[in-house]
Amino acid sequence: MTTSPIALPDNAIQDRTKGILLAAFATALFSAKGIFIKLAYQYQVDSVTLMSLRMLFSLPVYLALGAWGWHQGWLSSQLLKRHGIPIAGIGLLGYYGASFFDLWGLEYVPAQLERLVLFAYPTFTVLLSWWWMKQRPTRQMFWILPITWAGVAVMVGHDLKQQGQHILLGTGLVATSAVIFAFYMVFSKPLINKVSSAAFTIVAMVAASIGILLHYLFSQPNLLVITQQPLPVYGYGLIIALFCTVLPSFMFSDAIRLVGPDKTSVTGSLGPVCTAIAAVLILGEPFTIWHLLGTAMVVVPITFMAVTKSKH
């Protein structure tokens, strides 16, 4: 006698399909960030100015959404008093600290290598959870971690020979961004469980925006430099803000609501692939057998880890 699989209700199937599509589109948009940053760097804009432009364009959107949330009642003074400061601190960590090192690193490394290093951040999350929360990794992680970072080493070794020592500096900066983002992921989960994902995103992004703009004010000798950029820089800054920051941040939040964080994370494997294709077609970056090998050594183990976790 055979058992037939349990049929999901139509609305559950629709929610799952919608959630996966949202996560896939959000991943593609997030992945495009590095491409537009590299395009903007062609006009000699520095990372702090570009990061500030990104937040200047996105901050009004988050403030408007915050005002709407206040009017609707899901973003209240009680929520801000109870959770506002820790959420702001986590936002500064993840969206200011991680973004700063990521944009700085992109001054020195190709977009493909940047995306691959960032994609490996779950390995840092596992190690941090082991150290901080005493959550021992599964047996699989003891082969996933070395293979993943061997794949990064393959990419770094190739780019180092072709482009020089600055690849090591850039990789270190992007890896620092990945470590900071791992801290963000571990410490944000308890707070997201206490408030809505939309409220968390708005408070975190507003705090990060303020932090980045203060960084610009205190670090830039010429405060008017942000008004003296070539027109394409403002265009790229607007695209990065709206289509690579605001839109995917809420798409991911909704995807997590519909299908959960584990299934949402599975779509992250699209990130390095999307970036590689765009980097070759738009930036003219090479894609050799070493890029293919390095990418596969990172993407396959991390995707296996995400798929295995999503089944439990």
Side-chain angles (χ1 to χ4, degrees):
M1 181 178 176
T2 58
T3 22
S4 57
I6 299 171
L8 292 172
D10 288 343
N11 59 341
I13 295 172
Q14 289 173 0
D15 283 351
R16 187 174 63 180
T17 303
K18 181 183 176 183
I20 291 170
L21 287 174
L22 281 171
F25 280 120
T27 297
L29 291 173
F30 271 135
S31 301
K33 181 188 68 176
I35 305 299
F36 290 113
I37 290 170
K38 297 294 278 188
L39 289 170
Y41 280 164
Q42 294 176 0
Y43 294 90
Q44 309 304 314
V45 61
D46 65 275
S47 58
V48 175
T49 300
L50 184 60
M51 187 170 61
S52 302
L53 276 174
R54 174 192 182 191
M55 290 311 190
L56 274 175
F57 287 130
S58 61
L59 181 58
V61 179
Y62 286 113
L63 288 174
L65 290 169
W68 178 70
W70 187 277
H71 178 71
Q72 294 292 312
W74 51 263
L75 187 61
S76 63
S77 58
Q78 186 178 4
L79 180 147
L80 293 175
K81 286 178 182 177
R82 185 175 299 175
H83 305 296
I85 292 177
I87 292 175
I90 293 296
L92 285 167
L93 186 71
Y95 292 112
Y96 166 40
S99 293
F100 172 69
F101 283 100
D102 181 31
L103 266 73
W104 190 7
L106 271 166
E107 293 186 12
Y108 303 102
V109 298
Q112 294 177 73
L113 178 55
E114 177 259 0
R115 181 49 48 183
L116 205 63
V117 174
L118 286 183
F119 181 68
Y121 86 86
T123 61
F124 293 125
T125 304
V126 169
L127 294 175
L128 180 59
S129 298
W130 188 10
W131 169 65
W132 185 262
M133 298 183 175
K134 310 303 179 188
Q135 295 178 356
R136 183 175 172 82
T138 63
R139 200 173 301 171
Q140 297 160 342
M141 288 308 303
F142 291 97
W143 64 261
I144 287 175
L145 265 69
I147 291 176
T148 297
W149 286 99
V152 172
V154 167
M155 288 276 283
V156 170
H158 174 272
D159 289 345
L160 189 62
K161 287 181 181 178
Q162 301 298 318
Q163 301 183 40
Q165 292 294 319
H166 62 272
I167 292 295
L168 292 176
L169 172 60
T171 303
L173 291 169
V174 178
T176 301
S177 173
V179 171
I180 293 172
F181 193 72
F183 272 89
Y184 165 81
M185 289 298 290
V186 169
F187 294 121
S188 65
K189 286 179 182 178
L191 288 168
I192 292 175
N193 290 336
K194 294 176 182 176
V195 301
S196 70
S197 58
F200 178 90
T201 301
I202 290 168
V203 175
M205 289 302 296
V206 168
S209 299
I210 294 170
I212 288 168
L213 295 176
L214 287 173
H215 184 148
Y216 174 83
L217 290 174
F218 286 107
S219 67
Q220 185 57 257
N222 177 14
L223 295 181
L224 294 178
V225 71
I226 202 167
T227 67
Q228 299 167 347
Q229 300 300 316
L231 189 60
V233 171
Y234 297 111
Y236 291 132
L238 185 63
I239 291 171
I240 293 166
L242 298 183
F243 296 101
C244 303
T245 304
V246 175
L247 186 58
S249 69
F250 285 103
M251 291 171 76
F252 259 124
S253 295
D254 208 32
I256 290 171
R257 179 183 65 83
L258 291 168
V259 297
D262 294 332
K263 288 185 174 63
T264 299
S265 68
V266 174
T267 62
S269 58
L270 295 170
V273 177
C274 292
T275 300
I277 294 170
V280 171
L281 296 178
I282 298 173
L283 300 178
E285 290 185 7
F287 189 81
T288 65
I289 186 66
W290 298 108
H291 289 86
L292 179 61
L293 177 62
T295 300
M297 289 173 69
V298 175
V299 170
V300 172
I302 296 292
T303 304
F304 176 81
M305 180 180 74
V307 170
T308 303
K309 192 176 179 184
S310 73
K311 288 179 178 178
H312 289 83

